[in-house]
Amino acid sequence: MSERAAPVTATEEQYDDQDPARDAREPADTTAETESEPERHPVTTGAEAVVRALENAGVEHAFGVQGGAIMPVYDALYDSEIHHVTMAHEQGASHAADAYGIVSGEPGICLATSGPGATNLVTGLADADMDSDPVVALTGQVPTEFVGNDAFQETDTTGVTTPVTKDNTFSSEPDRVGTDVSEAFALAREGRPGPTLVDLPKDVTNAETDREPDEPAVPRTYEVQERADPETVDAAAGRIENAQRPIMLLGGGVIKGEASEACREFATEHEIPVVTTMPGIGSFPEDHELSMEMAGMHGTGYANMAITHCDTMIAVGTRFDDRLTGGIETFAPDAEIIHVDIDPAEISKNIRADYPLVGDAGTVVSQLAEAVDASPKATKWRAQCQQWKSDYSMAYDAPEDEPIKPQFVVEALDEATSDRAVVTTGVGQHQMWACQYWTYTEPRTWVSSHGLGTMGYGLPAAIGARFAADDDQEVVCIDGDGSFLMTLQGLSVAVRENLDITVAVLNNEYIGMVRQWQDAFFDGRHSASDYGWMPEFDKLAEAFGAAGFRIDDYDEVADTIDDALAYDGPSVIDVHIDPQANVYPMVPSGGDNGQFALTEDQL
Amino acid sequence: MTHGLDGPAPEERPTPAGRRNKQGIRIDPEIEAKREPRRTVISVLVEHEPGVLSDVSGLFSRRQFNIESLTVGPTAEDGRARITLVVEEPDPGIDQVKKQLRKLLPVIAVRELEPDAMRRELALVKVNAERPDRVAAVADMYDAKTVDSSPETATFEITGARQKIEAAIETFGQFGIREIARTGTTALARGTDDTAAPPTESSAAEANQTQQFTQPTDDD
């Protein structure tokens, strides 16, 4: 485990290497030798330029799988300080890089060979694209002369990944290849973050070149606006001052834009209730009085009441996904929307913005803070919000004589870990319980697959998160049995790297969310959702060399969790939960957020 | 821990009076105006590099934008090409088209053209020519140029606004049309106006402006 990745500001002496002075064959700048930077050999091949570009960007870890077309790059990595984590499957590499990007804020790196290697990355790239996570993927490609000829292990990787990357490049020049990687790195984190990909033909990486990569810079056609239009800011400020029922809606962009602090200050100073989206979890402390927690399909009842009845919504860094909005017609129907986003295309895409504020979340919220002179007079509204919090409080039945309720396990895990513990999940019921019953207080501690909803995300994400998190931060993966089964080969990686992660599999022997929907909307016909053939995950963990635990009873919960957390290495707890437990509240797909169901009868 | 979720049931909860339409715009139920699709021309200046056209066309297909025609060709400046798109969408859709196009890395500038922009299309029409005199008379009416003739057929080149080409094709129809090939619309802004140039104003100013161009009647 390493320290959190250092901010990526390549030091000056690194760039001195490729100053015009060097091209003119003048004596190299000698400042490099006076610093403690390790001496670096000049680049001799395209592959070395690729690795040098990563080093210049401050990359410490990379996740990938070796293969034919990427071999030159791996050969260059052999001499590098970059720690390469060999994954058991490329999908795991892209998820691990994604989670690394979420926890550290710096792009995660994944590598794969051509053809099947590259296509296996696609799910993780699509995931990162939907959630705007910074990821750089480097894929091998068949030699240029074979490209387009259906050569062995060839796919049109840039073609396949165009719809799921922020940008991708087929790198065809040995003298350009390092710079292509630098650009991809810069682009992944600039503005609205996202995944980028560089496709590396084997002849290009094998070719000789002495060209050092250029400084990481985004292409000139990519322009990001930091500050919002001042007139619109003033108009929005006026609206906030006159609001009677204001709320702040914080999305994932708040965390990616490092704007949590600015949003917290704004909300607390003006006493505005705060709801978050699922990716926005952690942007505002959920134990704060103003917090209404998560809104949307499985959001809290009080968050959805607040969203539905507000008259002014300050939405920051959210794209108004349908899992948040429910039916568009009934989403915050009385509210004027102040929408802060760094991507102009998100403004009025799904919900019309009355006050469009394009810019960096932190900068724009500070602009707003300066422009707002008086807090909205919303005492009655705040009281109403508190009333909803008590009316629709989150609770569950847990009779001793019934199987364990999953909510109890989530709460017990939360109890046993620190506030800064990082939680990763797969996708399904367990993910929703992890949202609802864990109290998040810090940004970058909630790592999940939001937009794409990728089952199998949890374990590889925990691996990536472990490398990005501080040593004293626990990494806990809350997974479902179906989700865990999809990528559990990653356990071999966790064991080999001796990663201190704890996986709690909430095992109900169902694809639980599907079973819940089948019960509600398909007359209980459990088509292909009954997973009564699950392996014993604790024994499976032991077979991999990890520690295995099993929980069947309430009185085992606390002690087993303590033992698993105390184990110095990967541990898996197979928690046999109530197979009939369901996730509520729930807004049916496309429904009215204010009409959330608290029980199956209300669906 | 001793009780499940509770609180007033859905029907006991207050509901707000307002509503939004499908485009997420708040509506006054009294005067709800339906947003009809309109046809418009969007000019896109791009880097002339491999894959740009597939980036643009891929964007249209995966985002389900309704595209009517697309033409592309080099510009006066080396390394740049102009793509002219005709799209038909309601206003919020047209806005999205422009914003999403701007996000593509090889795209330099995007502009929706005013109704007075010059729009032209070219068609090649191959007709039966058993009555060459009558065919020639029709060709004359539409300023069509003869590009090929044989004892049985004549092929004409017609350029102009879409309506003119459609009218010509309809009139030629009486002789029996053998084949037609049409380009899509290509267009330039009038006067000293730049059709699509690197943006001078901030993207924020444009972020939410809904350009309300009326649909031109003659498309010319």
Side-chain angles (χ1 to χ4, degrees), chain A residues 84-381:
Chain A
H84 178 266
V85 183
T86 301
M87 301 297 289
H89 188 287
E90 290 88 351
Q91 183 188 349
S94 51
H95 289 326
D98 180 63
Y100 186 91
I102 293 171
V103 176
S104 73
E106 290 300 327
I109 311 293
C110 56
L111 297 102
T113 194
S114 63
T119 56
N120 280 348
L121 287 181
V122 171
T123 303
L125 294 176
D127 198 300
D129 193 52
M130 288 288 264
D131 292 348
S132 308
D133 297 327
V135 169
V136 178
L138 304 176
T139 49
Q141 184 54 278
V142 300
T144 317
E145 60 173 315
F146 294 130
V147 169
N149 292 347
D150 303 329
F152 177 66
Q153 291 195 330
E154 185 195 351
T155 39
D156 172 12
T157 302
T158 52
V160 167
T161 56
T162 293
V164 296
T165 49
K166 186 171 169 182
D167 190 50
N168 63 26
T169 310
F170 178 85
S171 201
S172 54
E173 298 289 331
D175 286 348
R176 266 289 302 182
V177 66
T179 299
D180 284 343
V181 173
S182 291
E183 266 189 14
F185 192 93
L187 195 56
R189 62 191 176 122
E190 184 80 358
R192 179 180 185 169
T196 57
L197 179 144
V198 187
D199 203 24
L200 304 164
K202 195 171 184 179
D203 58 324
V204 172
T205 47
N206 258 335
E208 285 184 12
T209 178
D210 59 358
R211 176 67 196 268
E212 296 280 338
D214 291 335
E215 190 172 337
V218 296
R220 64 193 166 82
T221 51
Y222 189 79
E223 286 169 13
V224 179
Q225 186 175 324
E226 295 289 322
R227 294 178 70 80
D229 169 45
E231 276 179 36
T232 320
V233 168
D234 285 342
R239 174 70 204 180
I240 294 167
E241 288 165 12
N242 291 315
Q244 288 171 346
R245 308 191 303 275
I247 63 163
M248 286 186 89
L249 171 66
L250 304 186
V254 173
I255 293 167
K256 295 177 207 314
E258 301 289 355
S260 296
E261 207 46 54
C263 290
R264 286 171 192 215
E265 278 172 24
F266 190 86
T268 46
E269 167 153 13
H270 299 294
E271 294 187 273
I272 300 172
V274 178
V275 300
T276 70
T277 67
M278 188 162 79
I281 285 177
S283 57
F284 194 80
E286 292 186 332
D287 52 3
H288 194 284
E289 192 188 3
L290 287 168
S291 172
M292 307 293 282
E293 301 172 49
M294 181 179 84
M297 180 174 278
H298 291 297
T300 62
Y302 34 99
N304 281 330
M305 289 304 277
I307 276 218
T308 305
H309 291 272
C310 67
D311 71 350
T312 304
M313 178 185 286
I314 308 160
V316 189
T318 174
R319 63 192 163 86
F320 294 106
D321 182 275
D322 62 281
R323 281 295 188 272
L324 168 75
T325 61
I328 295 290
E329 293 91 339
T330 49
F331 180 77
D334 291 342
E336 296 212 359
I337 310 274
I338 298 160
H339 190 180
V340 180
D341 207 292
I342 199 153
D343 181 356
E346 288 307 333
I347 305 284
S348 299
K349 185 183 77 180
N350 297 335
I351 297 291
R352 164 85 183 183
D354 300 286
Y355 303 89
L357 299 175
V358 176
D360 169 69
T363 311
V364 178
V365 172
S366 306
Q367 280 180 278
L368 271 176
E370 237 167 72
V372 173
D373 292 325
S375 298
K377 293 181 184 58
T379 319
K380 257 177 79 181
W381 169 245

Side-chain angles (χ1 to χ4, degrees), chain A residues 221 329 331 343 347-348, chain B residues 20 22 96 99 103 105 208:
Chain A
T221 51
E329 293 91 339
F331 180 77
D343 181 356
I347 305 284
S348 299
Chain B
R20 291 179 187 271
K22 288 275 176 221
Q96 253 317 285
K99 288 170 177 173
K103 281 173 71 169
L105 265 290
N208 213 30

Side-chain angles (χ1 to χ4, degrees), chain B residues 41-88:
Chain B
V41 178
I42 293 172
S43 185
V44 191
L45 194 63
V46 298
E47 307 267 12
H48 202 4
E49 59 184 37
V52 180
L53 195 57
S54 96
D55 279 357
V56 170
S57 56
L59 173 72
F60 273 73
S61 74
R62 73 174 173 269
R63 291 202 178 262
Q64 298 280 291
F65 294 139
N66 193 0
I67 186 168
E68 201 170 283
S69 77
L70 181 156
T71 64
V72 58
T75 64
E77 211 170 328
D78 266 356
R80 290 196 174 172
R82 180 183 312 287
I83 298 176
T84 308
L85 296 149
V86 180
V87 294
E88 193 167 345

Side-chain angles (χ1 to χ4, degrees), chain A residues 2-7 60 100 103-105 420 444 467-470 473:
Chain A
S2 77
E3 294 294 313
R4 184 183 292 264
E60 292 178 17
Y100 186 91
V103 176
S104 73
R420 293 179 66 238
R444 303 194 184 282
F467 283 102
D470 293 342
Q473 280 180 289

Side-chain angles (χ1 to χ4, degrees), chain A residues 392-446:
Chain A
Y392 299 108
S393 59
M394 295 297 288
Y396 53 92
D397 292 315
E400 285 287 330
D401 55 346
E402 280 183 20
I404 301 170
K405 292 292 189 247
Q407 298 94 329
F408 183 87
V409 180
V410 173
E411 285 184 337
L413 279 162
D414 187 11
E415 187 73 17
T417 50
S418 69
D419 277 355
R420 293 179 66 238
V422 175
V423 177
T424 76
T425 72
V427 166
Q429 287 184 316
H430 68 275
Q431 179 190 26
M432 295 301 121
W433 289 315
C435 288
Q436 293 175 334
Y437 291 92
W438 189 292
T439 306
Y440 299 89
T441 55
E442 297 296 325
R444 303 194 184 282
T445 58
W446 163 245

